[in-house]
Amino acid sequence: MSLTKVSYSMIQGAVYSALDYGISTSSADNAAAITALITTVSSAGGGTIYFPTGVYNIKSAVNFTGGNVALTGNGRDSVINVNAAPGFYMFNLAFADANNVTFDNLMFNGEFNYPTNTLTTNPVAYANFNVAIRVGGVFANNLRITNCFFYKLAGGSIDVNNNGNLNLVIQNNNFNLANFSQAIINVRSTSASPVTDANRPNQVLVNGNTIYGGGPDNWYNPASIDWAASKDAIIIDQCKNFIVSNNIIRNVCGIGIRVEQSLYGTVCGNEIYECGSAGITAYKSCFYVSIVELTYTQLNFLMRLLIHFLQIH
C-alpha cells in the first residue's frame, strides 16, 4: 500500500494571515469570516490561511465550499474556540468537494459545550455536541490533519463520512477528553452495508496520535446508561488500504481501535491502556487485515534476540 504524502507544496498560492481578513481574537463570531476567507483562497487557486497566536471564537459552523486550502497556526497557541450553544460541526466539509485540505498546528477547543457532569449525562440525548472536523458525503481527497490539539469535544474530534476518498492522513495529533457522544476518530463510508469496493475510503493513515480520556466517566460500568456504544477512540469502518499505527490510547469509554467491514489493512505498534471495552476489535467481515501489536521497542528487541539466537546456533 502506498500513501501519498501531501505537503504545502501541493497547495498553490499565497499565505493569508487570518487577522488581515476580518477575523479577530475578540469574543465575536468568526465563523462567517473564516468561511469567506476559505472561499476566497480556494477560488484563487489555493493557499495557506495562517492563524497567529490568539483565540478565535466561533458560534456556528465554518463551511467549506472548495479545496486547495491549508489552515495552520502556532499549535496550542492558535485556538479555534467554541463559545456558543447548541452544538455544531466546527469545520464542516459537506457542501462541495474539498480536495487538498490541510489542518496543521491548530487547537480545537469545545470546552464551552462539554457536559459539566459526565457521570450522569446521557451521551445519546446530549444535544450540545461539537465535532472539530467533519467530512460529510463529499469528496475530500488528500485530507491531512496533523500536529493539532483537540480538547473537550462533546461530540467527537474527526468524523470522515464519505465514499471512495483517497489519501487521508491523521497524524501526530493530541486528543484530550476529545469525545463524549461519538467516536474520537471515525472514518467510514456513507454507503449502506454491504458497501461496494469503489465506495470505500481508500488509503487511510492514522499514525502517531496521542489519545487520553474520552466518553462518559461511567465507562467502567456496563450497567450505566449507554456506557460504551460507539464511544471508541478510533473507528475504521468500510475502508480499504489502511494503516493504524504507533498511536497511544488511554482511558477511553469504549474500544481503543475498532476495525469494521474493512479490507487490506494493518493495525500495528499501538499502545492501548484502560479502555472501557476491548483494546482492539475486528468486527463484521474484515478481510486481509493484520493486527500486530508490538511497539517499535518491543519489535526491535525481538529482532535483536532472533539475530543473537541465529548467531550462536
Side-chain angles (χ1 to χ4, degrees), residues 7-258:
S7 65
Y8 290 131
S9 63
M10 296 178 67
I11 301 171
Q12 303 299 317
V15 176
Y16 300 74
S17 177
L19 295 177
D20 294 336
Y21 291 88
I23 300 165
S24 75
T25 55
S26 70
S27 61
D29 182 9
N30 285 294
I34 298 173
T35 296
L37 181 55
I38 290 171
T39 300
T40 296
V41 173
S42 180
S43 299
T48 298
I49 299 173
Y50 170 63
F51 291 85
T53 295
V55 177
Y56 301 87
N57 289 298
I58 58 173
K59 301 182 180 183
S60 56
V62 174
N63 295 318
F64 275 72
T65 56
N68 300 311
V69 179
L71 293 88
T72 187
N74 296 325
R76 293 181 187 270
D77 295 325
S78 298
V79 183
I80 309 297
N81 184 64
V82 171
N83 68 337
F88 51 87
Y89 300 112
M90 296 173 70
F91 286 86
N92 193 12
L93 288 71
F95 297 94
D97 292 346
N99 299 315
N100 303 316
V101 171
T102 296
F103 297 89
D104 183 70
N105 271 298
L106 294 169
M107 180 169 181
F108 302 89
N109 181 26
E111 185 174 10
F112 186 93
N113 281 327
Y114 204 78
T116 55
N117 188 341
T118 56
L119 276 170
T120 60
T121 302
N122 187 335
V124 173
Y126 191 68
N128 291 343
F129 69 88
N130 294 108
V131 174
I133 300 169
R134 182 230 185 185
V135 179
V138 300
F139 282 105
N141 295 322
N142 301 324
L143 171 63
R144 283 180 61 89
I145 304 167
T146 56
N147 307 307
C148 290
F149 300 87
F150 298 83
Y151 181 63
K152 286 195 171 181
L153 282 307
S157 293
I158 299 170
D159 182 18
V160 178
N161 181 9
N162 51 14
N163 286 336
N165 283 22
L166 295 171
N167 297 329
L168 168 65
V169 176
I170 301 172
Q171 189 167 36
N172 298 335
N173 302 288
N174 184 283
F175 301 84
N176 187 1
L177 299 176
N179 76 325
F180 183 74
S181 61
Q182 301 177 22
I184 294 174
I185 299 172
N186 192 0
V187 183
R188 65 195 194 280
S189 172
T190 56
S191 294
S193 180
V195 63
T196 63
D197 216 35
N199 287 337
R200 297 178 183 273
N202 187 8
Q203 297 184 326
V204 177
L205 176 65
V206 182
N207 172 258
N209 301 285
T210 299
I211 297 173
Y212 180 81
D217 286 350
N218 57 16
W219 58 267
Y220 57 84
N221 183 359
S224 296
I225 49 174
D226 194 52
W227 72 287
S230 297
K231 312 304 179 290
D232 304 328
I234 299 170
I235 296 178
I236 302 293
D237 186 1
Q238 297 183 331
C239 299
K240 68 178 179 181
N241 297 323
F242 64 89
I243 297 174
V244 180
S245 60
N246 301 316
N247 302 285
I248 299 174
I249 302 169
R250 182 185 292 273
N251 196 26
V252 296
C253 165
I255 297 168
I257 301 170
R258 177 201 292 260

